[in-house]
């Protein structure tokens, strides 16, 4: 909150309130960080005094003035020194260089602001000198800094309570004339804007109100004049806080006449010369000041002032909507862009305001166009890459990341959601559609740009994703607000399901940018999933929004990329979206008809089982598990589909094993199918045979290598070991009709293992059977294991005898008769 009594230099305070913007300043328009020693300061005053006494201008006097300027932060200018400066300004013996005038005016400004009670006579004298200087010298030596320092000192003098009424009127009159006649100088040196605004603020806070409205007219009008200063966000923020400072002072001093004039003539009317962005920031400054005053004092006139300010913001928002014909068809010219930015920042810094539809739409437009301008950036980048646009400035995105508007995105989102909560149904539906459409646009645009930039400019892509990540957070916060408003008993189940599906689809589009665990995200997901999974049509609607197999495997409508080739597995944006579906669909699979699962889900599920990213592949296997485990509805059709899918599932899994297919995923899928298929299903037999064939192939490959680690089994091939482990676990899972086949094939497989491997597998099987409490199959398994152990021991004996005979034959020397031959 602005406190006039605590603000020594208003221009400094304004600069500190533009929050994160590097507002360039130069020369003496800002307080310098350098400082001169006390001796240098004394010497400087002495040189100025000597030069004045000698009535000759010493070139060193300019250096002396600069020495004093460099120490302005700690410099105190007393009345005698101010009199010396006025003598220099008014002396006809000097031909002062142009550069000296702004410095002299700045030193006088320091005197006025730092003096507890400056001499009234000396102030009156200063006003006369200043009037003379601007009448005789300013015309030939005018410059932006000369203008700024003049406005600053004139405003500061009019703000001093003890100054005579005539001097205040003279200062206000001269200040208005400078603003009205020489405003073009502000555009030439925009670093002086804080000083100009500070001078205006002092003048508006004067105890007199002779030129009160005239000064306001200049503040609100110079930005729209030809060759006037540009409309920028830093300027807008300084106007906001300037008005906050001025209005706070008026409220505190009970300047009812000024407040009434301000409310009726500034906020209550809209002059053609008033620039909309300035009007918005003025209204926001009033809201900040009135909020603090109302909290502390509860004044009735403050409430009226606040209502006027809110009405002004709504009026400007309505004008913007009317001129742009709504959000969808609006252009993106500079003036409208600045106004959208200013509206959003004004509302972010002024607190909650009453709902109006134009304000809500303008906030939505600002969020999607100005704060998160991804669609615009994607278009520019793609045009540049395809050679149909001008060169893209990569620093544009970095500048956006550093700007105040982007840094206050969270606050603006909060204001937007508060407006949404209070909105009527038509407005709510409109902004919901805008947000959901934006999500789809971001998905499409970032998918293109990511694939085209992945090998060109990774830094640019990283910066783009920083904006997209923040946009994702905005969508999450908004979606949570939607669920709280829509998913309740006030709305029909159909509307609740429709909104839930829209949120899920939007989240899927932005899943790539979800880089952290957010409570708001999880809360929203839980609410909408619980709503969708209760209804078949909602489940179908969500599932059918999933990209088709053709969309997933071909590059649609982007001919330049088709020429280069498209690899679906490298499309990370699309992969993230599919992964979202793969994780959510199992929650509603009980309500999903079999024919929808076959047509929509199955192609994507099997495709992404072959994805090189293990996390993605495992998720696809998990969805297969969820499908095999389902069965409360559509039983006959579902069982038939399950049996059909098992054949392709085993082919798809084993062809990618062990290079791509994650064993844990495949093992969970196999366990699910043997549990949930009907007893004696041909699909189960096919699964067992497929696993055994894969194990045999892996064994053949290992035998071909004839490696020592294969013979001792300890360092044997892990893929083969894992399939043997899976087959061993299945003896406890498969139904009785399949068990004999599994035991036979597993026994044939074990016999092929090296003796160490046979021993280890048998020991594991003995332990597994011993722990089993299945009284039906345990006797059969015990008998089978005993037979298998016997076969294994016989195989070992044959191997041992063969090896012993071979060793003896090799050790016998040529011509030597073995002992048996001699008997």
């Amino acid at each position: 909150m602005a406190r006039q009594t605590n603000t020594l230099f208003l221009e400094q305070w304004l600069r500190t309130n533009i929050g994160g913007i590097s507002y360039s300043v130069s020369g003496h328009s800002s307080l310098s960080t350098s400082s001169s020693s006390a001796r240098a300061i004394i010497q400087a005053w002495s040189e100025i005094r000597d030069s004045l006494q000698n009535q000759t201008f010493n070139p060193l006097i300019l250096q002396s003035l600069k020495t004093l300027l460099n120490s302005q932060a700690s410099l105190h200018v007393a009345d005698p020194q101010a009199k010396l400066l006025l003598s220099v300004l008014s002396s006809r013996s000097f031909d002062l260089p142009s550069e000296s005038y702004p410095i002299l005016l700045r030193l006088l400004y320091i005197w006025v602001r730092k003096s507890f009670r400056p001499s009234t006579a000396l102030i009156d004298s200063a006003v006369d000198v200043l009037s003379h200087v601007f009448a005789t010298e300013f015309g030939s030596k005018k410059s932006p800094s000369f203008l700024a320092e003049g406005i600053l000192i004139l405003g500061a003098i009019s703000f001093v309570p003890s100054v005579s009424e005539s001097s205040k009127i003279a200062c206000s009159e001269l200040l208005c004339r400078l603003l009205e006649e020489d405003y073009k100088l502000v555009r030439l040196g925009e670093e002086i804007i804080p000083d100009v605004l500070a001078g205006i603020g002092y003048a508006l806070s004067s105890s007199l109100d002779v030129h009160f409205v005239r000064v306001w007219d200049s503040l609100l009008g110079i930005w729209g004049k030809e060759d006037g200063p540009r409309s920028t966000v830093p300027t807008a923020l300084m106007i906001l806080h300037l008005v906050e400072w001025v209005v706070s002072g008026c409220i505190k001093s009970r300047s009812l006449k000024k407040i009434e004039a301000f409310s009726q003539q500034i906020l209550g009317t809209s002059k053609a010369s008033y620039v909309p962005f300035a009007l918005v920031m003025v209204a926001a400054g009033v809201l900040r000041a009135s909020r603090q005053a109302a909290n502390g004092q509860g004044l009735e006139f403050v409430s009226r002032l606040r209502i006027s300010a809110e009405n002004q913001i709504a009026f400007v928002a309505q004008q913007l909507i009317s001129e742009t014909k709504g959000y969808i068809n609006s252009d993106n010219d500079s003036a409208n862009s600045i106004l959208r930015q200013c509206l959003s920042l004004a509302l972010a810094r002024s607190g909650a305001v009453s709902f109006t539809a134009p304000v809500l739409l303008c906030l939505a437009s600002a969020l999607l166009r100005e704060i998160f301008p991804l669609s615009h950036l994607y278009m520019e980048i793609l045009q540049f890459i395809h050679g149909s646009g001008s060169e893209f400035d990569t620093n544009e995105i970095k500048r956006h990341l550093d700007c105040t508007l982007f840094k206050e995105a969270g606050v603006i989102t909060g204001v937007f959601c508060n407006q949404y909560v209070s909105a009527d149904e038509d407005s709510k539906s409109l902004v919901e559609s805008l947000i959901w459409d934006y999500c789809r646009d971001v998905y499409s645009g970032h998918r293109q740009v990511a694939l085209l930039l992945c090998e060109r400019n990774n830094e640019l892509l990283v910066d783009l994703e920083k904006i997209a990540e923040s946009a994702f957070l905005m969508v999450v916060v908004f979606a949570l607000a939607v669920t709280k408003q829509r998913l309740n008993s006030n709305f029909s189940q159909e509307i609740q399901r429709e909104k839930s599906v829209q949120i899920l689809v939007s989240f899927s589009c932005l899943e790539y940018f979800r880089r952290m665990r957010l409570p708001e995200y999880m809360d929203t997901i839980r609410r909408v999933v619980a709503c969708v999974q209760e209804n078949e049509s909602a489940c179908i609607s969500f599932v059918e929004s999933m990209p088709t197999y053709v969309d997933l495997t071909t590059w649609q409508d982007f001919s330049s990329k088709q020429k280069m080739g498209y690899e679906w597995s490298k499309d990370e944006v699309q992969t993230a979206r599919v992964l979202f579906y793969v994780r959510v669909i199992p929650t509603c699979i009980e309500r999903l008809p079999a024919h929808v699962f076959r047509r929509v889900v199955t192609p994507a599920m099997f495709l992404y089982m072959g994805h090189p990213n293990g996390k993605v592949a495992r998720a696809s296997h998990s969805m297969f598990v969820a499908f095999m485990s389902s069965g409360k509805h559509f039983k006959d059709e579902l069982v038939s589909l399950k049996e059909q899918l098992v054949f392709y599932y085993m082919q798809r899994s084993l062809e990618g094993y062990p290079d791509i297919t994650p064993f844990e995923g495949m093992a969970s899928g196999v366990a699910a199918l043997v549990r949930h298929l009907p007893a004696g299903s041909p699909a189960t037999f096919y699964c067992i045979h497929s696993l055994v064939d894969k194990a045999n192939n892996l064994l053949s490959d290992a035998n071909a290598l004839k490696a020592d680690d294969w013979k001792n089994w300890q360092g044997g091939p892990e893929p083969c070991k894992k399939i043997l482990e899976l087959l061993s676990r299945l003896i406890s899972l498969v139904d009785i009709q399949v068990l004999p086949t599994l035991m036979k094939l597993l026994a044939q497989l074990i016999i092929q293992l090296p003796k160490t491997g046979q021993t280890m597998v048998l020991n594991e099987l003995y332990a597994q059977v011993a722990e089993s409490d299945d009284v039906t199959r345990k006797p059969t398994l015990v008998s089978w294991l005993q037979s298998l152990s016997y076969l294994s021991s016989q195989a070992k004996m044959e191997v041992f005898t063969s090896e012993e005979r071979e060793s003896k034959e090799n050790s016998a020397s040529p011509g030597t008769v073995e002992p048996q031959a001699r008997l």
Side-chain angles (χ1 to χ4, degrees), residues 575-616:
T575 296
R577 186 181 186 194
V578 173
L579 187 58
F580 178 88
Y581 280 95
V582 168
R583 287 170 172 169
V584 175
I585 288 175
T587 64
C588 58
I589 206 164
E590 292 290 348
R591 297 279 185 180
L592 196 63
H595 69 275
V596 176
F597 188 89
R598 176 204 295 270
R599 175 173 53 86
V600 181
V601 181
T602 299
M605 178 182 70
F606 285 133
L607 176 67
Y608 279 85
M609 280 182 185
H611 197 283
N613 185 314
K615 180 177 70 173
V616 178

Side-chain angles (χ1 to χ4, degrees), residues 159-230:
F159 182 57
V160 177
S162 59
V163 173
S164 65
E165 183 175 321
S166 60
S167 292
K168 288 184 178 181
I169 293 174
C171 286
S172 298
E173 171 68 32
L174 181 54
L175 182 145
C176 289
R177 193 167 68 246
L178 289 173
L179 286 171
E180 292 164 358
E181 296 176 359
D182 297 291
Y183 62 87
K184 294 181 180 180
L185 291 174
V186 181
R187 186 182 183 93
L188 298 177
E190 294 189 348
E191 69 276 2
I192 68 170
I193 288 178
D195 304 300
V196 172
L197 291 177
I200 292 174
Y202 290 133
L204 290 172
S205 300
S206 172
S207 58
L208 294 182
D209 56 2
V210 176
H211 295 291
F212 184 72
V213 174
R214 187 180 174 188
V215 176
W216 276 112
D217 288 344
S218 294
L219 175 62
L220 292 168
I222 63 172
W223 320 101
K225 293 183 177 180
E226 185 178 356
D227 296 330
R230 295 181 304 120

Side-chain angles (χ1 to χ4, degrees), residues 14 16-21 233 236-238 240-241 244 281 284-285 287-289 291 342-352 404-405 408 411-412 415:
L14 292 177
T16 61
N17 275 282
I18 56 179
I21 299 174
V233 170
L237 289 174
M238 285 189 287
L240 184 155
H241 292 289
E244 174 193 4
M281 303 317 273
L287 291 176
R288 281 180 65 90
R291 182 182 60 191
C342 290
L343 269 166
S344 58
L345 283 171
L347 293 168
R349 296 204 176 189
S350 59
T404 297
L405 187 68
E408 296 203 14
V411 181
I412 296 170
V415 175

Side-chain angles (χ1 to χ4, degrees), residues 1-4 6-7 13 17 241 243-249 251-252 285-295 297:
M1 184 63 197
R3 294 291 184 186
Q4 291 189 349
N6 296 331
T7 307
W13 184 77
N17 275 282
H241 292 289
V243 175
E244 174 193 4
W245 187 83
V246 171
V247 175
S248 295
I251 294 174
K252 184 178 180 182
V286 170
L287 291 176
R288 281 180 65 90
S290 62
R291 182 182 60 191
Q292 185 69 20
N295 289 341
Q297 302 174 40

Side-chain angles (χ1 to χ4, degrees), residues 157 201 262 321 397 436 735 777:
I157 291 174
F262 175 74
I321 295 298
I397 299 178
W436 310 149
D735 62 87
R777 71 179 69 204

Side-chain angles (χ1 to χ4, degrees), residues 531-561:
C531 182
V532 169
Q533 66 185 8
E534 296 174 356
N535 181 264
E536 177 185 325
S537 62
C539 293
I540 294 174
S541 177
F542 169 64
V543 170
E544 289 186 337
S545 68
M546 187 177 185
T548 65
Y549 182 84
V550 174
D551 293 335
L552 295 175
T553 55
T554 58
W555 187 252
Q556 298 293 318
D557 299 327
F558 310 133
S559 57
S560 61
K561 191 65 181 179

